Structures are given as C-alpha cells and as structure tokens.
Amino acid sequence: MGFTPRRFLGVKPSKALLLLPFMLSFMLVGSQGESNAMDNVATERLAEASHRQDSANLLIFIMLLTLTILTIWLFKHRRFRFLHETGLAMIYGLLVGVILRFGVHVPQSLSDEILNCAVNASPATLLVNVSGRFYEYTLKGEVSRRKGHQMQDDEMLRKVTFDPEVFFNILLPPIIFHAGYSLKRRHFFRNIGSILAYAFIGTVISCFVIGLIMYGIVSFMKVVGQLGGDFFFTDCLLFGAIVSATDPVTVLAIFNELKVDVDLYALLFGESVLNDAVAIVLSSSIVAYQPAGDNSHSFEAMAMLKSFGVFLGVFSGSFALGVATGFMTALVTKFTKLRDFPLLETALFFLMSWSTFLLAEACGFTGVVAVLFCGITQAHYTFNNLSPDSQERTKQLFELLNFLAENFIFSYMGLTLFSFQSHVFNPMFIIGAFMAVFVGRAANIYPLSFLLNLGRKNKIKSNFQHVMMFAGLRGAMTFALSIRDTATYARQMMFSTTLLIVFFTVWICGGGTMPMLSFMSIPVGVDSDQDNSSSAVLDGSQRRNTKHESAWPFRIWYNFDHNYLKPLLTHSGPPLTTTMPTCCGPLARCLTSPQAYENEYRLHDDDSDFILNDASVSSMYADVTVSTDASGSRTINRPSGTGGGPSDDGLDHELALAEHEVAIRGTRLVLPMDDPVDPPITVTLPPPPSPPRSEPRRHRL
C-alpha cells in the first residue's frame, strides 16, 4: 500500500514545502506590524489624555487667579483691609486642594501593573525590556503602598504639583526684579545704613537664634522618642535661614494704600528686599558646609570658614553679575536707536533682565541676588535711556508679572497643603518653630534698633520697632526655599512646618496690620513729596545738621556716580569732556552722546530719587529751583558754579525760599516750548554747547 501525497493549492508538494517558511514569516511580520500599530494608537491616546489632564490642571490655577482678582475688586470696593489678596489666594487654594484630595476620585486604569523589582536604589530613569522592546520610564517620586483607586488619586495629585525649578526659574525672577525696579531710591538710600544692618546682620542673627532653639527642641524630641528620622544641627540652621526670609507683601500693600510714614515703609521694604537675597545665599552656604571625615555634620572651624567664604563669594559674584548686566543694557540702549522702536526696546529690556537670573544660576551664583541688583541698576541708569513708551511698558509689564506670579505662588501654597504626598506634621516641632521664629525676629529688630539709634539723628521709634517686629511675615521666598528639596525626613518636616508658618503670618499678622497701626499710633496719610518739600524750609542750624547727616561714603559715591557713571551710561549728567582728565579727551568725546550736551544744564527727575537726605538736594545735584509767585510766573534759578561738589551758600539760599517755592525733588514740571497759549516762562540758563535743535522739545525740569 503506497502513500500518495495530495496537491497543496495546485502546487507540487515539494514546492509547497519550500514556500511554507516564507509564508509563516510573512504572517508573523504582519501580526507584529498590527501589534506595533495598536501600540502606537494606544500611546497616542495616552498622550492625548495626558494633554487634556495637564490643560485641566492649568485651568484650575487660571480659575483660581480669576476668582482672586474678582474678590480683590470686591474687597477694594468695600474697603475691606483685614484680608489681603495673598491671604485670599491661599484660602482659594486650600478649598481647591480639599476638593481634589477628598472629593475627586480617578477611576483605576486597567493598563497599570504593579511589578516587584529588587533594586537597592531609586534610579532617575528606568529601561524596561518588554518582549525585546525597551521602554524608558522617568522617576516621579515615591507613592504610597496602597492599592486600588487611591493610587490613581495620588497620581492625579502629583500632576497638580509643580517642579520646584518652576518657582525658581519662572515665578521668582519677576517678583525679585520688580522689587528692585520699583524701589523708591530716595528713601531707600536715606536709610541705607539701617537697612543693611537689618538685612545682613539681622538675618544672620535670626538664622542662628532659630537654629539653636530648634536644635534644642529636636534634641528633646529624640529623648522622648518623637523624632522619626535624622535631624542634624545643619538642618536646624538651614531651617533658620529659610524662615528668616521675610516677605511682608500684605503689610506693605496696606502701608502704601494708607500712606504710612515713609521712613517706616523704607525700612520694612528695604529689609525685605535685601533679606531675601541674604537668606538664599545663607542657605546655600549652610548646604555647602562639608567638614572632613566620615561625619558630615560635626563642627569644624575650617569648614565653617569655607562656608563663610562661599557666602561672600556667591553674594559678591551675584551682585557683580547683576550690575554688569544692567550696565550692558544701559550702554546698548544709549548708543543704539532702539528708542525709535519701543516694542524692540521693551523686548530687549525684558530679555536682558530675565537672562540675568538664568546666567547667575548657570554660573553657580544666586539668581535672586543678581536679578535684584540688576533691577536697581536698570531703574537708575537704563530707565533714563528708554523712550517714554518703553518706560511705561516696562513698569506696567513687571508690575503685572509680579502680581500674577505672587498670587499664583500663594494659591499654590494652599493647594500644596493637601496635594503634597510627603507631609510630616509633628506638633512639638511646629510649636517650637513658631516660638523660635518670633524670638529670632525679636533678636533681629530690638538689639539692632538700639545700636542704630546711637548713631541716627532720626531715631527709630519704639512703635516703629514693634510694627517691624509684627510685620515680619513669611511668603514666596520662604516657600520656594523649603519646597526646593523635600527628599529627606528632615526636609519634609521643615516644608510642612514652613507652610503653617506662612499661613499664620499672612492671615493673622497681615490681617492684624490695621489694628496694629491704630494701637501703635502710627501716622498715616503722609505724602512723601510733601514730606520732602516741608524739609526744605528748615531753619539754619537744622539745615546744617541735616546736611552733614549723610555718611561720607555715600557722598563719595554720589560724586563718582554723578560725574562718571551717569554720563557714561545715560544721556544725563555733565558731559564726560568736562569731568574726565584732559588726556582722556578723545575717549570722553567718543563716549559722550550729543544728547548729553543738550541736557547738560537740565535736571532729570530720576536723579532726585537717589538723594540721601532732603537738605542737600540742590547742592548735591547742582540742580535748578523753580520759584512760583502769586501771579503764576515762574523763574528758574541755577546755583553758581558748575562743579559737582556741594555748595553751602547755594544750599542755604535755596532752603531759605518762601513756602510757595517748588523744589524739584519730587515734582515734575513739563514746560511745552511750542505752545503759545501757556503763560510766559522766564528761563535764565546758559546756552548749551551743542548745536541748535531742529524741532521743538518738551523740557522736564
């Protein structure tokens, strides 16, 4: 009996056997292609769903800011001052956080799988081999060991938790720059010695006082078994540096609205501006403390000196970088025709200012310090070179960015109280932290005020000291420093406690500002310009005492700034051809713009913002005085002498004028030279050496 093979699809058996492997390969490739296509479709769907989720998360914050703005309008309309906009933003953030934490549950995804892997460390990137194909996964953080929909809820809460670098690189720069750009330099430099003492010495004192108190509390917690992890003395000092950063935005807003005494405002605002810079550099120095040996938390003199050197190096390097960027922007705007294109001018100003922060961080310095002093430099020099449109645009732009960034941060604070997954709340540590914060603030204000009053003629009154003590709020900088590192048990406890401190100071201390001002009998309704004008009519002996109250280093600084820096970086001030030595004549002519010759004898109002005291205004700036009589005619008197130094006779003559005289420290008089309808103006000024102008101009006196 023989075997007869059947034909396979009309093909001989030998040929069918030969084609079978190729057909199987084709079928496998086709099925694999279909599998890849299905995987791609699933990936696209996941990406689309993630995009929608991210858009919804950002929409939550946009709606928070919108609701905050509408409520702020209602509060201002009703003159309700017991809750500031920042405290309101925190309340809305808390409400949204409660809803997201307890009211919203995300259904469990069937595609999620929990696999066990024996790995000792937590790699930042994980490559997973699935059927010969490698997939890359990025570490997001530790999640709880719960199963079911609660893990999906944790994932949803993590999506509304931003990367800490977002705060440092995007939200903090406009806040810090606006603080320096909007600084009232006249009152700031009049109290510069006291401000520097509070900001530098006071912050260091507060840091160590808080650190020592917290170390004692932590040691006691170890004894009684209330500490669940390591907490070293360096961690206590770092906590002291973080909570020493004051941000009295609530108090300052109320001060500005009520027109509180200008010296109190300048002391509190100046301290808060520089205090943030000192706190962040101090925290970086504490982190850089690395003693030799196995124990990295033991005390070592050389390591401490090295940290002190890091503090000085980082601060001075950041300061120099910020000032250099401001100088560069001033030179670009002076020697180019960018003012003919205000949009380009504003864009360049914005990018140069923001890049200062990123450049400092990239170079290993502190961007907060760099962008702060960049803002002060831009306001003092570059602002004079901008066109009028760009001047208004830059002020309004950074004011808007500051408002949005600040309210966004405070809204996020309230949300983080419920969205952050690694909170560590310890009642003993929290109570000790509140006590340490108030003791550290008192150790900053009262002893330094006593020492400063020994050398100040305008004393810091006791009620001013109490208000400064009460107004030591914590805000955006404290939050940003604490959230930047939450990897260890100690940092997580510090972050959770810092949130509660910020909530308490903003709501209780900020809300109690009005009663505090009334209780301390702080004068309100004080006009800074009127205050400056009234100081111009003092008697002879008081004038002499006020004139010599300015410290000699700042008189030297003024002469250098007025004779060299202002003419070099702006179109104002005396031309460099009149202040530089004769041998430098070609260089001086090259660096002096034609506008400088035209503006040689004109007063620029921004110059008067840099005054250290009120009595020496005219003599220090060699400015003019506009006298107005009863008939309305004006006469402009210019002191004799063209030198940059003070003139005692000119000072006495100007301060002895009648009360109808308008000193041009805070008043801008715009005299239209091409309008024949205005009253006649008598101007007694020597003709400028520049060629005659071809078109009428408006003089700002």
Side-chain angles (χ1 to χ4, degrees):
M1 180 178 177
F3 176 74
T4 304
R6 300 179 180 178
R7 293 184 176 273
F8 183 74
L9 298 177
V11 184
K12 294 182 180 180
S14 58
K15 294 183 178 180
L17 293 176
L18 292 175
L19 293 176
L20 183 61
F22 296 100
M23 296 177 65
L24 291 175
S25 300
F26 177 78
M27 295 174 62
L28 289 176
V29 171
S31 62
Q32 186 176 4
E34 293 178 358
S35 176
N36 292 338
M38 294 178 62
D39 290 343
N40 293 335
V41 171
T43 302
E44 291 176 358
R45 289 179 179 176
L46 289 176
E48 184 179 356
S50 178
H51 171 71
R52 288 197 301 266
Q53 181 66 38
D54 293 339
S55 301
N57 295 335
L58 290 177
L59 181 62
I60 292 175
F61 291 99
I62 298 298
M63 296 304 296
L64 276 176
L65 292 178
T66 305
L67 188 60
T68 302
I69 291 173
L70 293 176
T71 314
I72 290 170
W73 169 81
L74 181 62
F75 280 15
K76 290 183 178 293
H77 181 67
R78 298 294 182 183
R79 298 185 181 276
F80 184 79
R81 296 191 181 98
F82 294 98
L83 183 63
H84 189 251
E85 58 201 42
T86 54
L88 186 65
M90 292 170 64
I91 292 177
Y92 286 144
L94 282 172
L95 295 177
V96 174
V98 170
I99 295 173
L100 292 179
R101 184 64 180 266
F102 303 106
V104 178
H105 298 290
V106 180
Q108 183 180 4
S109 175
L110 298 178
S111 61
D112 292 342
E113 296 183 8
I114 301 177
L115 301 177
N116 295 324
C117 181
V119 179
N120 295 328
S122 298
T125 303
L126 191 65
L127 294 178
V128 179
N129 186 354
V130 180
S131 301
R133 302 179 64 184
F134 289 90
Y135 297 88
E136 181 180 357
Y137 293 86
T138 304
L139 177 67
K140 290 185 177 180
E142 183 181 2
V143 298
S144 59
R145 297 186 177 132
R146 298 170 298 187
K147 296 182 180 181
H149 66 82
Q150 292 182 346
M151 292 192 65
Q152 295 298 120
D153 295 341
D154 292 345
E155 174 67 20
M156 185 267 298
L157 292 175
R158 280 199 306 273
K159 282 184 174 294
V160 297
T161 303
F162 287 94
D163 189 346
E165 295 302 318
V166 172
F167 292 95
F168 267 81
N169 295 331
I170 297 179
L171 297 178
L172 272 186
I175 296 176
I176 301 301
F177 182 85
H178 179 262
Y181 194 56
S182 63
L183 185 69
K184 295 181 179 179
R185 300 187 299 273
R186 178 175 60 227
H187 306 295
F188 178 84
F189 286 100
R190 188 168 63 184
N191 299 277
I192 185 65
S194 302
I195 291 174
L196 291 177
Y198 287 128
F200 283 86
I201 303 176
T203 303
V204 174
I205 292 175
S206 176
C207 171
F208 278 90
V209 169
I210 295 174
L212 290 173
I213 294 176
M214 294 310 300
Y215 185 68
I217 293 174
V218 168
S219 301
F220 179 74
M221 291 171 60
K222 288 182 180 179
V223 173
V224 299
Q226 292 293 323
L227 199 64
D230 294 332
F231 211 111
F232 302 101
F233 181 65
T234 53
D235 296 323
C236 296
L237 284 181
L238 179 63
F239 179 73
I242 289 174
V243 297
S244 294
T246 60
D247 185 19
V249 57
T250 304
V251 179
L252 291 175
I254 296 176
F255 280 10
N256 190 35
E257 185 177 355
L258 297 179
K259 296 187 181 299
V260 178
D261 185 272
V262 291
D263 287 329
L264 176 60
Y265 184 93
L267 287 173
L268 194 58
F269 180 76
E271 182 213 358
S272 66
V273 168
L274 295 180
N275 169 273
D276 289 345
V278 175
I280 190 172
V281 179
L282 189 61
S283 62
S284 301
S285 303
I286 295 173
V287 172
Y289 176 78
Q290 292 292 336
D294 297 334
N295 189 2
S296 60
H297 299 279
S298 61
F299 176 78
E300 187 177 272
M302 290 301 298
M304 187 173 181
L305 291 177
K306 181 180 178 181
S307 296
F308 182 72
V310 169
F311 176 84
L312 294 180
V314 171
F315 193 93
S316 58
S318 304
F319 169 81
L321 190 60
V323 173
T325 308
F327 283 177
M328 184 183 306
T329 311
L331 290 173
V332 170
T333 54
K334 176 184 177 180
F335 291 105
T336 61
K337 296 295 183 180
L338 274 175
R339 63 181 294 116
D340 297 335
F341 306 94
L343 180 61
L344 300 180
E345 190 179 34
T346 305
L348 177 68
F349 184 91
F350 175 80
L351 294 177
M352 291 291 290
S353 303
W354 201 305
S355 63
T356 305
F357 184 92
L358 302 177
L359 179 62
E361 292 289 335
C363 294
F365 297 115
T366 301
V368 171
V369 180
V371 78
L372 170 64
F373 287 100
C374 176
I376 297 176
T377 307
Q378 301 276 44
H380 191 55
Y381 298 109
T382 311
F383 185 82
N384 300 324
N385 301 333
L386 301 178
S387 62
D389 290 342
S390 297
Q391 290 178 350
E392 291 299 323
R393 284 179 179 178
T394 54
K395 288 192 297 185
Q396 294 175 1
L397 173 63
F398 282 102
E399 185 178 3
L400 174 63
L401 292 177
N402 171 73
F403 173 81
L404 293 177
E406 204 161 54
N407 282 276
F408 183 91
I409 290 179
F410 278 95
S411 299
Y412 185 72
M413 285 185 197
L415 182 64
T416 306
L417 187 63
F418 294 96
S419 65
F420 187 66
Q421 300 296 304
S422 302
H423 277 304
V424 178
F425 293 104
N426 190 301
M428 189 176 298
F429 186 86
I430 293 171
I431 295 174
F434 273 90
M435 179 183 67
V437 165
F438 285 103
V439 173
R441 181 66 179 172
N444 176 357
I445 298 299
Y446 295 115
L448 286 180
S449 299
F450 173 77
L451 296 177
L452 291 171
N453 282 335
L454 298 178
R456 282 177 63 103
K457 297 197 175 174
N458 184 19
K459 307 296 183 183
I460 304 175
K461 303 175 184 178
S462 59
N463 57 348
F464 282 16
Q465 299 176 31
H466 298 329
V467 172
M468 293 179 65
M469 165 67 189
F470 185 78
L473 280 65
R474 273 66 181 175
M477 179 58 67
T478 301
F479 175 76
L481 287 175
S482 61
I483 201 177
R484 197 171 193 181
D485 184 5
T486 56
T488 63
Y489 170 83
R491 302 295 173 86
Q492 293 169 1
M493 184 184 294
M494 288 159 51
F495 173 67
S496 303
T497 306
T498 300
L499 271 182
L500 299 182
I501 293 175
V502 173
F503 290 160
F504 179 85
T505 55
V506 171
W507 286 338
I508 305 302
C509 298
T513 302
M514 287 291 296
M516 186 69 175
L517 293 177
S518 302
F519 181 74
M520 290 297 169
S521 302
I522 301 296
V524 297
V526 179
D527 189 357
S528 59
D529 294 333
Q530 183 179 0
D531 174 69
N532 295 330
S533 300
S534 63
S535 64
V537 291
L538 301 172
D539 55 50
S541 60
Q542 290 177 333
R543 291 197 302 267
R544 290 293 180 180
N545 292 335
T546 306
K547 179 191 171 187
H548 292 287
E549 189 174 345
S550 294
W552 60 268
F554 300 106
R555 291 179 178 273
I556 296 176
W557 158 251
Y558 160 73
N559 289 328
F560 179 75
D561 177 66
H562 181 71
N563 294 328
Y564 299 103
L565 290 182
K566 270 293 183 69
L568 173 64
L569 301 173
T570 68
H571 302 297
S572 62
L576 290 174
T577 53
T578 62
T579 58
M580 294 185 68
T582 308
C583 59
C584 301
L587 179 62
R589 287 191 295 271
C590 179
L591 296 177
T592 303
S593 62
Q595 292 88 339
Y597 295 107
E598 299 177 6
N599 301 333
E600 180 179 4
Y601 299 108
R602 297 181 198 163
L603 169 67
H604 284 267
D605 190 59
D606 56 277
D607 287 345
S608 62
D609 288 337
F610 200 71
I611 293 170
L612 304 180
N613 60 58
D614 291 331
S616 56
V617 175
S618 317
S619 60
M620 289 180 65
Y621 283 83
D623 292 333
V624 296
T625 302
V626 178
S627 301
T628 305
D629 56 17
S631 63
S633 62
R634 304 176 180 87
T635 303
I636 300 180
N637 300 320
R638 186 175 186 275
S640 59
T642 58
S647 171
D648 296 344
D649 296 337
L651 173 66
D652 294 338
H653 174 71
E654 180 180 343
L655 295 178
L657 296 177
E659 63 179 359
H660 291 293
E661 179 185 19
V662 181
I664 315 184
R665 281 184 300 275
T667 305
R668 295 186 178 184
L669 298 181
V670 180
L671 308 180
M673 303 301 293
D674 53 350
D675 191 356
V677 180
D678 286 350
I681 302 169
T682 304
V683 180
T684 57
L685 294 176
S690 62
R693 298 183 297 274
S694 59
E695 58 180 3
R697 296 179 180 268
R698 296 173 67 88
H699 298 276
R700 176 176 296 169
L701 299 181

